[in-house]
Amino acid sequence: MKKIFILFFLVSLFASCYYDKYENLYPLGNNTCDSSTVTYSGAVTEILSSYCYSCHNSSTATGAVILDTYADANTYALNGQLMGCVKGETGYPMMPPSASLNDCDIARLQKWVNDGAPDN
Ligand code: HEC
């Protein structure tokens, strides 16, 4: 009798592991991260405007940092501060300060920086 319970327990454990997987439940959902093609005019401005412009724009340049023009964003991308901050690397203040960006947005910014932060 005990064995049956243990068996049942193990089976239900595996079953729940399988069905609880987000990728299995929503294989074509919005959970996919496409960081293969990233443009400044697309993903980069979308991310920066959602999470950074509020403190770093031409009239409110918190910490003397402006990010809402291509030239400024490009400067911070190429001098390492942009990724240093969003990835919370040692020596950089975590940005945004309240909660970090999600992994997909970090990967997309990284792709743009790796490409040389082009104005595309
Ligand atoms: C709530 C306001 C706020 C938001 C939102 C915000 N920042 Fe900042 N940021 C600051 C402040 C304040 C400083 C100065 C902090 C310091 O030097 O310790 C700063 C400094 C910086 C610096 C300069 C860091 C250095 O090493 O001197 C960079 C680069 C930066 N932020 C990038 C970003 C990026 C990228 C985002 C969006 C992902 C962002 N920030 C969102 C407030 C903000």
Side-chain angles (χ1 to χ4, degrees):
M1 193 60 181
K2 228 179 187 177
K3 274 186 186 155
I4 291 177
F5 275 122
I6 291 172
L7 192 69
F8 181 74
F9 175 73
L10 286 176
V11 167
S12 58
L13 197 71
F14 281 116
S16 66
C17 282
Y18 176 79
Y19 287 112
D20 284 348
K21 272 194 177 160
Y22 191 88
E23 311 89 78
N24 291 336
L25 283 172
Y26 310 108
L28 297 172
N30 295 328
N31 198 31
T32 50
C33 178
D34 184 6
S35 59
S36 56
T37 309
V38 176
T39 61
Y40 173 72
S41 58
V44 174
T45 49
E46 182 192 308
I47 297 166
L48 297 183
S49 65
S50 300
Y51 301 103
C52 317
Y53 286 2
S54 58
C55 294
H56 300 296
N57 60 69
S58 307
S59 44
T60 309
T62 313
V65 175
I66 296 173
L67 290 171
D68 66 351
T69 69
Y70 168 73
D72 289 303
N74 173 270
T75 300
Y76 287 101
L78 297 185
N79 72 11
Q81 282 185 296
L82 178 71
M83 295 316 295
C85 290
V86 299
K87 288 160 87 177
E89 288 172 358
T90 316
Y92 297 98
M94 188 74 205
M95 292 292 145
S98 49
S100 79
L101 295 181
N102 65 48
D103 290 347
C104 184
D105 287 343
I106 293 174
R108 294 196 293 171
L109 288 178
Q110 185 71 68
K111 166 71 175 147
W112 179 64
V113 173
N114 290 349
D115 287 347
D119 188 4
N120 53 3

